[in-house]
Amino acid sequence: MPKPAVDYVAKITALDAAGLLGLWKKIEARKTPGWAKGKAFEHLVLRAFELEGADVTWPYSVKLGGQVVEQIDGMVRVGGLHFLAESKDLDPKKNGDLNVEPIAKLRNQLLRRPAGVIGCVFSSSGFTAPAKTLAQYMSPQAVLLWHGAEIGMLLAKKGGFSKALERKHHWLARDGMPDYNILTDLAA
């Protein structure tokens, strides 16, 4: 596989928590020079978990019979939870909130994984009503939705992504709620 022109992993791992918050502000302003479209957000999410001690697998491709069949935005292990990440950085002024397609794509990827692997869809903006509804009917595949406001707040707090994952997973298991808003916990 050819090496990308920019080593995004080296670029993002050079950032600490304060650096991630600065990058987040650039993502929100739609000004991320040196990053291909969506790559800054994709790597920021993974780095936030890595800074908290999570085991991170950076973006990779899965091949079957020499053909790329999946492109995974990353995989993270926090304690006993493993999740595949799908990150989408849409300009809310141009594109609005994230629709169902990335959730459906992630569901298909989860179908090829053991039952304990969950999915996390990270949106720099938010999710449409149909996307939230679809995520409720993914069982037995578990998919958690992460909104930009949650990500921004967790970055500003300088941590808490792993705890937020546990809370989101708890509410999914308890009430079948894939879209639990972690800001509820932060406000308490």
Side-chain angles (χ1 to χ4, degrees), residues 70-131:
E70 293 177 335
Q71 293 193 317
I72 307 294
D73 288 354
M75 186 174 137
V76 176
R77 181 180 55 81
V78 175
L81 290 176
H82 292 75
F83 73 82
L84 294 182
E86 178 69 23
S87 300
K88 293 296 178 196
D89 180 21
L90 298 179
D91 183 345
K93 292 177 184 168
K94 289 182 183 175
N95 307 103
D97 290 329
L98 193 63
N99 205 0
V100 299
E101 294 83 3
I103 298 168
K105 173 188 164 195
L106 185 57
R107 177 182 183 266
N108 287 338
Q109 292 169 336
L110 290 170
L111 286 170
R112 293 187 349 95
R113 305 306 189 286
V117 178
I118 63 175
C120 288
V121 180
F122 299 89
S123 171
S124 61
S125 54
F127 296 89
T128 63

Side-chain angles (χ1 to χ4, degrees), residues 12-90:
I12 199 72
T13 55
L15 299 180
D16 60 7
L20 286 185
L21 182 58
L23 180 58
W24 173 249
K25 292 180 187 297
K26 290 178 182 176
I27 290 169
E28 287 185 306
R30 320 300 315 153
K31 295 180 181 174
T32 53
W35 294 89
K37 184 177 177 170
K39 293 295 181 187
F41 181 63
E42 178 181 293
H43 285 75
L44 175 139
V45 166
L46 298 173
R47 178 65 174 151
F49 279 97
E50 185 183 56
L51 284 172
E52 294 180 16
D55 180 33
V56 170
T57 303
W58 298 98
Y60 64 98
S61 297
V62 176
K63 291 183 179 181
L64 291 174
Q67 300 271 328
V68 173
V69 293
E70 293 177 335
Q71 293 193 317
I72 307 294
D73 288 354
M75 186 174 137
V76 176
R77 181 180 55 81
V78 175
L81 290 176
H82 292 75
F83 73 82
L84 294 182
E86 178 69 23
S87 300
K88 293 296 178 196
D89 180 21
L90 298 179

Side-chain angles (χ1 to χ4, degrees), residues 81 83-84 86 103 106 110 118-122 127 135 141-146 164-173 177-180:
L81 290 176
F83 73 82
L84 294 182
E86 178 69 23
I103 298 168
L106 185 57
L110 290 170
I118 63 175
C120 288
V121 180
F122 299 89
F127 296 89
Q141 287 71 42
V143 175
L144 302 173
L145 305 181
W146 296 69
L165 174 67
E166 290 170 358
R167 293 296 295 158
K168 283 178 166 288
H169 190 259
H170 167 81
W171 285 104
L172 179 65
M177 185 187 303
D179 191 31
Y180 178 74

